[in-house]
């Protein structure tokens, strides 16, 4: 039998009472389902065909895998302590496989409130001071504006993104060779990159794609050339230059399998850019401090004022 190669897939779904989501499985592979609340009970339609596991030590995780090497289908109902239910259709293509990607991680996540993440308790009755950064007045009246992005605001904005574009170390190794040394245990997504004066702020997310708990270390920024050869580095000196961050946020550094953390980092913009140098976001775990994952960042980022002007120009053209 010719087996179809396994294509791993990460799924991010909103919690819904009216939708049944398909989960594609494969024999010999375990799928992690991460839910936003503790699991109260589980029910699988065909317990002899699919093995479903839930541990009290990991109350927001469910692990499922086929128990048969033949093609099979069934359903899974996950009940949460808050009264919500998640309904899934389990689809296993058997040993032969299918062109469908295999869901390694299925993450059910509620979008975070920007106000909640920024620490604003009462959004029902905002004060004049709290609304000044949310609207801008012009001759046409009040309109929504793009607010300056500090560390807290960046985390809130990133947390509201339900399905960011994730990139793993093997994928990033195509851009930066140093990533070939990093373990494939996290995926990174970068959101807004904003510049205010001489300060840059980057929002990002980290996803645990391994089968064990990990601890994400504080993010770092480097001005470096990871592609430089050892001979060239010895001849011209070390191009690596860490940039000291002025602030950072990481809402959940300890991640269970399938869990996500949103963060931000603020740092002074480098004065100049030498040939071949790169501005990199550096993310490492406690088990792989010496082999971090590098994500390339733009040297020039738009400011809030530039984004507002661009939005006005787009509206004028439309």
């Amino acid at each position: 039998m010719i087996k179809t190669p396994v294509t791993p897939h990460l799924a991010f779904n909103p919690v819904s009472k009216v939708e049944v989501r398909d989960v594609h499985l494969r024999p010999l592979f375990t799928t992690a389902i991460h839910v936003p609340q503790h699991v109260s009970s589980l029910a699988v339609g065909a317990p002899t065909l699919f093995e479903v596991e839930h541990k009290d030590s990991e109350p927001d995780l469910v692990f499922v895998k086929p128990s048969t090497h033949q093609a099979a289908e069934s359903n899974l109902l996950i009940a949460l302590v808050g009264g919500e239910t998640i309904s899934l259709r389990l689809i296993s293509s058997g040993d032969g496989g299918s062109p469908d990607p295999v869901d390694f991680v299925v993450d059910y996540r509620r979008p975070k409130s920007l106000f909640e993440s920024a620490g604003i308790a009462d959004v029902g009755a905002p004060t004049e001071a709290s609304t000044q950064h949310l609207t801008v007045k012009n001759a046409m009246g009040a309109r929504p504006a793009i607010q300056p992005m500090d560390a807290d605001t960046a985390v809130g904005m990133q947390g509201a993104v339900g399905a960011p574009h994730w990139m793993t170390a093997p994928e990033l190794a195509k851009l930066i060779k140093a990533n070939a040394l990093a373990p494939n245990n996290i995926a990174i997504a970068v959101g807004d990159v904003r510049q205010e004066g001489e300060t840059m702020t980057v929002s990002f997310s980290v996803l645990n794609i391994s089968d064990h708990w990990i601890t994400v270390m504080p993010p770092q920024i480097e001005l470096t050339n990871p592609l430089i050869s050892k001979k060239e580095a010895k001849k011209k000196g070390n191009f690596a230059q860490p940039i000291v961050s002025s602030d950072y946020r990481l809402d959940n550094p300890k991640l269970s399998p399938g869990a996500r953390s949103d963060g931000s980092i603020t740092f002074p913009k480098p004065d100049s850019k030498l040939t071949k140098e790169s501005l990199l976001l550096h993310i490492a775990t406690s088990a792989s401090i010496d082999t971090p994952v590098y994500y390339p960042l733009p040297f020039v980022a738009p400011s809030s004022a530039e984004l507002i002007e661009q939005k006005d120009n787009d509206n004028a053209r439309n």
Side-chain angles (χ1 to χ4, degrees), residues 31 127 140 149 283:
T31 295
T127 64
M140 301 300 293
M149 190 173 76
I283 301 291

Side-chain angles (χ1 to χ4, degrees), residues 5 9 46 94 97 113 119 165 195 204 245 254 258 299:
H9 181 247
S113 166
H165 178 64
Q195 181 178 340
F204 62 89
S245 64
K254 293 186 178 181
F299 262 89

